[in-house]
């Protein structure tokens, strides 16, 4: 009998197969975190053990050394067609989070992805976001059109009733495919546990702290935790009341400002 | 008398960018420690009335709040010209779009450029109207103790909320306010006008964003020795100018 996780997997496999069938040139993003690694494994499951898409990794130059090690190890083991994007020019000119986190993210992440999409003519990008991560992400669709500036017109999103994901905007330069949008953080860890997937060691607690969400070193802080195995992480998530991305500076700042501007009466 | 009301003009930033026009003969920090939150409408209302208005103005509907002239220091002047002054002649219609785009930025990840464009547009409109009024007052010989011209500009506040961490952008904002002050001084050159540059509160960086602080700024083109005045003290100071004492 299928359990909840089996049902989630089945839906994700359907989305991934639809993406492969409907788009000429899709690619999948891989940060090496738990979500995108899970998504890669789902791609392997959907397509007979092999990821049939180019795998895009954005290297900001400020990632944890463990991320690079993990990336190279898994890419080799799984035979991934890895495309690594890096804004060498911005880095050589000294771009770093101290120059403003927004500019830093724009130049080292967004601009890099724009270039990769343009150079390779990708028409669909599979991204491993989940609705439970953030209020904004909760508004997302499985198939989500983006214009050339990556703008997301949330007010004009396609309806996705009865799991029909076929609507494609004529104005879109590409679409985002969110194959695990309907999963929760706990679902992802249960899948990792069940499938014994490789996991970045940064997720495991050391000296009472562990990373719950992986980003760039200067902008990510660990949470208090003693969960040093996948089983303990699963147990921890069943009771925690701390938001998953609470260790991400940018998210914290944005959430703080939103709350403060409301208190000041601007919104 | 001319008042340049700059929302969120920060004492430290004026010094950092060495804004010589804004740092007049007497300048310093204002004291708003008596306020729990640095709310724009509350602080300008308190500036205008000489009373702490925090408990009188609820957050909801605050932008619509407008004081009658007889509760403000404007009553001490025969002729008043105000441009966009919060709690008095605030042009809510113009600022509504800014507030809408600000909310959309947080809720829907809208682009910041669109917001900036609208804010700069409002600023340019206010600047045009303000300069016109100052020029008219000067040419008519009206600018004596019986006349008050006050303009309000929210450029530093609005741009700062989403971009205070972006120094280049903030430098451009402060440069614009510095030039505006310089232009007013040039228009009123050789006249005995009192010019007050004043802000409601200051601002600090929260990553890329900007949050209100108590680092408000003021400067007079006359030496008055008022030290660190409370924002409510300006009522009494302005009254004394109007009465010629």
């Amino acid at each position: 009998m299928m359990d909840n996780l089996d049902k989630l997997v089945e839906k994700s496999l359907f989305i991934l197969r639809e993406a492969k069938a409907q788009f000429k040139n899709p690619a999948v993003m891989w940060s090496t975190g738990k979500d995108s690694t899970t998504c890669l494994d789902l791609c392997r499951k959907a397509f007979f053990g092999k990821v049939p898409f180019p795998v895009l990794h954005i290297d900001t130059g400020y990632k944890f050394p463990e991320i690079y090690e993990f990336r190279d190890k898994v890419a080799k083991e799984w035979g991934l067609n890895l495309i690594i994007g890096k804004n060498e020019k911005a880095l050589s000119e000294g771009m770093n989070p101290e120059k403003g986190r927004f500019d830093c993210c724009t130049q080292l992440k967004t601009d890099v992805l724009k270039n990769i999409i343009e150079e390779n003519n990708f028409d669909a990008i599979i991204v491993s976001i989940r609705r439970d991560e953030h209020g904004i992400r909760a508004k997302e669709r499985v198939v989500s059109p983006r214009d050339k500036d990556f703008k997301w017109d949330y007010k004009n999103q396609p309806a996705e009733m009865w799991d029909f994901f076929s609507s494609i905007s004529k104005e879109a330069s590409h679409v985002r495919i969110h194959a695990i949008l309907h999963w929760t953080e706990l679902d992802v860890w249960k899948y990792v546990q069940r499938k014994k997937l490789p996991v970045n060691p940064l997720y495991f607690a050391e000296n009472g702290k562990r990373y719950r969400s992986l980003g760039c070193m200067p902008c990510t802080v660990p949470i208090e935790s003693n969960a040093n195995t996948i089983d303990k992480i699963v147990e921890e998530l069943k009771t925690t009341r701390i938001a998953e991305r609470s260790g991400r500076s940018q998210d914290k700042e944005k959430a703080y400002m939103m709350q403060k501007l409301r208190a000041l009466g601007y919104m | 008398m001319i008042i340049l009301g700059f929302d969120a003009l920060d004492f430290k930033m004026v010094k950092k960018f060495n804004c010589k026009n804004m740092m007049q003969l007497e300048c310093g920090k204002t004291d708003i420690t008596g306020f729990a939150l640095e709310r724009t409408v509350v602080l300008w209302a308190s500036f205008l009335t000489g009373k702490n208005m925090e408990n009188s103005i609820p957050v909801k509907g605050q932008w619509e709040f407008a004081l009658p002239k007889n509760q403000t220091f404007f009553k001490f002047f025969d002729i008043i010209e105000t441009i966009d002054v919060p709690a008095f002649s605030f042009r809510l219609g113009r600022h509504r779009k800014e507030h809408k785009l600000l909310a959309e930025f947080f809720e829907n990840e809208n682009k910041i450029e669109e917001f900036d464009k609208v804010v700069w547009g409002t600023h340019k409109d206010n600047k045009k109207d303000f300069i016109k009024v100052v020029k008219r007052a000067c040419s008519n010989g009206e600018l004596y103790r019986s006349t008050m011209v006050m303009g309000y500009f929210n450029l530093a506040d609005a741009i700062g909320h989403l971009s205070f961490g972006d120094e280049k952008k903030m430098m451009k904002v402060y440069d614009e306010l510095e030039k505006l002050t310089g232009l007013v001084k040039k228009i009123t050159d050789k006249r005995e006008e009192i010019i007050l540059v004043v802000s409601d509160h200051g601002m600090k960086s929260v990553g890329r964003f900007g949050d209100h602080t108590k680092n408000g700024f003021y400067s007079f083109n006359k030496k008055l020795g008022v030290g660190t005045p409370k924002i409510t003290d300006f009522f009494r100071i302005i009254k004394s100018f109007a009465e010629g004492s």
Side-chain angles (χ1 to χ4, degrees):
Chain A
M1 193 180 155
M2 282 176 84
D3 64 9
N4 181 51
L5 195 55
D6 292 327
K7 287 176 190 165
L8 297 175
V9 170
E10 190 181 41
K11 184 169 175 176
S12 296
L13 296 180
F14 172 72
I15 293 165
L16 289 167
R17 286 173 182 149
E18 280 293 298
K20 179 86 169 72
Q22 292 201 30
F23 294 93
K24 286 179 187 161
N25 196 16
V28 57
M29 296 285 292
W30 184 39
S31 70
T32 79
K34 63 188 186 307
D35 302 309
S36 57
T37 304
T38 291
C39 189
L40 281 190
D41 189 66
L42 290 166
C43 290
R44 295 167 80 216
K45 195 175 168 73
F47 302 104
F48 307 104
K50 192 170 162 45
V51 180
F53 316 112
V55 177
L56 316 181
H57 177 80
I58 308 297
D59 179 6
T60 60
Y62 293 104
K63 302 263 185 183
F64 293 91
E66 290 88 341
I67 288 181
Y68 299 115
E69 283 166 27
F70 183 81
R71 178 192 71 189
D72 296 340
K73 184 172 163 276
V74 174
K76 196 176 168 190
E77 280 173 16
W78 288 5
L80 304 177
N81 172 16
L82 192 61
I83 297 176
I84 299 171
K86 194 172 185 178
N87 191 342
E88 299 284 4
K89 186 173 175 286
L91 285 167
S92 68
E93 287 167 358
M95 178 46 74
N96 67 66
E98 283 178 13
K99 296 202 168 181
R101 288 204 180 97
F102 177 71
D103 286 345
C104 188
C105 281
T106 302
Q107 291 188 28
L108 301 184
K109 283 193 206 169
T110 316
D111 291 352
V112 177
L113 182 58
K114 276 182 189 169
N115 287 340
I116 292 180
I117 291 174
E118 206 177 301
E119 281 167 14
N120 295 278
N121 285 320
F122 291 128
D123 54 356
I125 303 293
I126 300 162
V127 186
S128 305
I129 63 161
R130 304 184 329 267
R131 286 200 174 106
D132 77 326
E133 275 180 280
H134 198 286
I136 291 162
R137 291 185 175 178
K139 294 179 182 174
E140 270 289 5
R141 298 285 195 269
V142 172
V143 178
S144 183
R146 293 289 191 279
D147 72 5
K148 62 179 172 41
D149 296 318
F150 284 13
K151 195 169 176 182
W152 171 41
D153 187 0
Y154 86 104
K155 286 179 183 166
N156 189 25
Q157 296 196 86
E160 291 186 335
M161 291 177 285
W162 307 291
D163 287 353
F164 281 113
F165 308 127
S166 60
S167 21
I168 301 162
S169 159
K170 282 178 186 168
E171 291 80 32
S173 76
H174 72 279
V175 298
R176 301 281 171 93
I177 308 284
H178 301 132
I180 62 163
L181 193 63
H182 52 299
W183 293 46
T184 64
E185 185 186 10
L186 184 58
D187 296 329
V188 170
W189 279 111
K190 281 182 176 172
Y191 184 80
V192 170
Q193 185 183 39
R194 183 181 289 183
K195 291 287 304 281
K196 296 186 173 55
L197 292 185
V199 179
N200 192 310
L202 291 166
Y203 284 116
F204 299 123
E206 214 172 273
N207 301 321
K209 286 183 188 295
R210 75 174 188 91
Y211 289 90
R212 198 163 151 198
S213 173
L214 302 182
C216 291
M217 273 191 293
C219 302
T220 314
V221 291
I223 58 156
E224 306 278 333
S225 169
N226 290 314
N228 54 4
T229 64
I230 294 171
D231 293 349
K232 285 181 185 172
I233 290 172
V234 168
E235 285 311 306
E236 182 187 82
L237 291 177
K238 285 177 183 171
T239 53
T240 188
R241 296 188 65 80
I242 300 165
E244 181 182 2
R245 292 173 69 91
S246 60
R248 298 287 193 104
S249 306
Q250 208 170 18
D251 284 7
K252 275 164 83 173
E253 287 155 4
K254 198 168 182 177
Y256 168 80
M257 275 318 298
M258 196 156 72
Q259 197 179 15
K260 187 70 192 282
L261 288 169
R262 279 202 182 115
L264 291 168
Y266 286 93
M267 305 194 300
Chain B
M1 179 172 190
I2 297 174
I3 300 177
L4 286 142
F6 293 143
D7 199 325
L9 189 80
D10 185 82
F11 175 72
K12 285 183 188 167
M13 294 287 274
V14 174
K15 286 188 116 177
K16 184 180 172 182
F17 292 138
N18 194 23
C19 302
K20 287 180 179 163
N21 287 326
M22 291 199 274
M23 288 190 291
Q24 302 184 99
L25 207 56
E26 175 160 333
C27 78
K29 261 176 78 174
T30 56
D31 179 0
I32 52 167
T33 51
F35 295 82
L37 262 183
E38 305 88 12
R39 273 199 286 148
T40 289
V41 179
V42 166
L43 291 166
W44 287 113
S46 305
F47 170 76
L48 297 176
T49 58
K51 292 173 191 160
N52 186 327
M53 299 290 285
E54 194 157 34
N55 295 328
S56 312
I57 307 174
V59 176
K60 198 175 175 190
Q62 64 177 349
W63 300 102
E64 285 93 356
F65 179 83
L67 290 157
K69 186 182 169 186
N70 63 9
Q71 283 182 31
T72 70
F73 56 60
F74 294 128
K75 67 182 173 187
F76 302 123
F77 297 86
D78 296 333
I79 301 165
I80 60 159
E81 294 269 16
T82 67
I83 308 292
D84 203 18
V85 176
F88 190 73
S89 58
F90 191 62
R91 293 166 159 173
L92 186 58
R94 288 190 185 187
H95 293 284
R96 264 195 215 283
K97 195 167 182 195
E98 288 168 20
H99 295 171
K100 185 174 170 273
L101 289 171
L102 189 69
E104 284 181 1
F105 169 82
F106 285 100
E107 285 161 15
N108 312 319
E109 297 190 326
N110 271 18
K111 291 280 172 193
I112 207 163
E113 290 80 8
E114 197 185 345
F115 173 77
D116 286 357
K117 199 176 157 187
V118 170
V119 172
W120 275 95
T122 306
H123 173 78
K124 281 175 185 164
D125 287 347
N126 278 7
K127 182 181 171 182
K128 198 174 146 192
D129 294 346
F130 182 66
I131 293 299
K132 200 169 140 188
V133 167
V134 173
K135 278 184 178 170
R136 190 174 64 214
C138 282
S139 65
N140 290 348
E142 284 171 359
L143 269 178
Y144 294 106
R145 285 200 181 97
S146 60
T147 303
M148 154 73 80
V149 177
M150 179 172 176
Y152 164 80
F153 304 89
N154 75 332
L155 190 68
D157 184 71
I159 298 290
H161 274 308
L162 296 190
S163 306
F164 197 77
D166 183 339
E167 191 165 304
K168 275 187 197 159
K169 207 186 255 192
M170 292 315 292
M171 202 186 281
K172 200 177 156 196
V173 166
Y174 274 72
D175 184 54
E176 166 62 18
L177 301 179
E178 171 71 352
K179 281 179 181 156
L180 172 57
T181 310
L183 185 57
V184 170
K185 283 170 175 265
K186 199 176 163 191
I187 296 167
T188 58
D189 189 29
K190 291 176 188 161
R191 301 174 73 97
E192 292 292 306
E193 298 317 321
I194 307 266
I195 298 175
L196 166 62
V197 177
V198 65
S199 67
D200 46 355
H201 53 78
M203 197 166 257
K204 69 174 179 188
S205 167
V206 178
R208 62 165 291 187
F209 302 108
D211 191 11
H212 292 185
T213 67
K214 308 238 186 264
N215 277 335
F217 173 87
Y218 84 95
S219 79
F220 280 110
N221 61 343
K222 301 267 184 291
K223 202 80 186 159
L224 301 172
V226 292
T228 306
K230 287 182 180 168
I231 200 140
T232 46
D233 290 343
F234 287 97
F235 181 89
R236 180 182 44 79
I237 297 166
I238 291 164
K239 185 184 174 199
S240 67
F241 287 141
E243 290 170 349
S245 54

